[in-house]
Amino acid sequence: MRLVLIGPPGVGKGTQAAVLSERLGVPHISTGDLFREHVARRTPLGRDAQRYLDTGELVPDHVTAGMVRDRLAHPDARHGFLLDGFPRTLPQARELAAVLGAAGSALDAVLEFTAPEEVVVARLLGRGRPDDTEDVIRRRQRVYRQQTAPLLAHYSAILLTVDAVGPVEDITARALAVLPDAERRAG
C-alpha cells in the first residue's frame, strides 16, 4: 500500500504514521527524519538542505524530492510506504507522481486527518514547547490550509478523510476502515 498522510500540525499524523506503518507492514517515511538523516550523514542533499535550514528558509522542492526519491528506491519501500510530510505542494505532488510513474506504480490513497482548529491548537499548546505560542501555532495552521487546499483538490479521486479526534486506537481504526483492502492487509 502506497499512502500519503496529510493533516495540519498537531492533528496526530506522526503518531498515526507509526501505528499504521506497523499495522500495514510498510515503512513510515517522514521528511523531517530524512532531513535529519541526510544532514547528519553530510550527503550532498543534506549539505544542500543545511544551507536553507541555517537561514530559516524552506528547503526547496528539488532537494526534498531528491531525498524522497532516494528513500523510495530502498528495497523496503518497493511494495509500499507511508509518506508523512511530503508532498506539501502541487509541484512536490507532481514530482512524486513522476517518481512513482517511473517505477510503474502510483499512490493507493491519500489520508487526510482532520480535527477542529481549537483541538489542534490545544494539543500543541499542551506540548509546552517554547516556540509553540498560540500566535505561531495559528499562523502554521493558516499556512497549512493555504498550501494544502490545492493538494486536496489534486488528490480528490484518492482522498480519504479521517476524523482525528479521540483516542489513538479509535483514530487508527477509522483510518484502517476507510483504506481499500487495509483490513485484509493488516491481518
Side-chain angles (χ1 to χ4, degrees):
M1 184 154 275
R2 293 168 186 86
L3 302 174
V4 166
L5 300 189
I6 292 179
V11 81
K13 283 186 313 294
T15 300
Q16 287 303 315
V19 175
L20 291 170
S21 167
E22 187 176 313
R23 291 283 302 273
L24 297 170
V26 297
H28 167 209
I29 301 171
S30 154
T31 50
D33 292 346
L34 289 177
F35 284 160
R36 286 184 284 280
E37 177 189 330
H38 278 268
V39 167
R41 290 185 12 231
R42 301 205 36 78
T43 67
L45 287 169
R47 288 193 301 272
D48 270 357
Q50 188 67 60
R51 287 198 331 256
Y52 295 96
L53 295 170
D54 286 346
T55 61
E57 294 180 54
L58 290 177
V59 177
D61 288 349
H62 74 275
V63 175
T64 306
M67 290 181 186
V68 171
R69 184 182 312 106
D70 178 64
R71 179 61 183 87
L72 292 179
H74 291 196
D76 69 335
R78 190 169 295 135
H79 299 294
F81 54 80
L82 195 150
L83 275 173
D84 171 16
F86 186 90
R88 287 182 191 254
T89 63
L90 279 177
Q92 289 180 355
R94 291 185 190 106
E95 179 69 26
L96 177 60
V99 168
L100 294 175
S105 64
L107 288 176
D108 292 303
V110 173
L111 284 180
E112 177 196 18
F113 289 91
T114 64
E117 185 169 327
E118 295 310 313
V119 171
V120 294
V121 168
R123 281 181 190 170
L124 292 172
L125 285 172
R127 294 193 308 197
R129 293 183 184 170
D131 62 330
D132 278 348
T133 66
E134 186 166 347
D135 286 345
V136 168
I137 291 168
R138 290 193 187 278
R139 188 173 322 113
R140 286 187 204 135
Q141 298 293 320
R142 279 192 303 278
V143 167
Y144 166 78
R145 284 192 303 273
Q146 291 163 354
Q147 289 182 343
T148 308
L151 274 183
L152 299 178
H154 177 77
Y155 286 127
S156 63
I158 59 169
L159 184 69
L160 304 169
T161 301
V162 177
D163 176 5
V165 178
V168 170
E169 315 78 57
D170 292 355
I171 299 165
T172 302
R174 286 182 214 129
L176 289 170
V178 300
L179 286 173
D181 299 327
E183 293 298 337
R184 183 175 52 74
R185 291 172 194 245

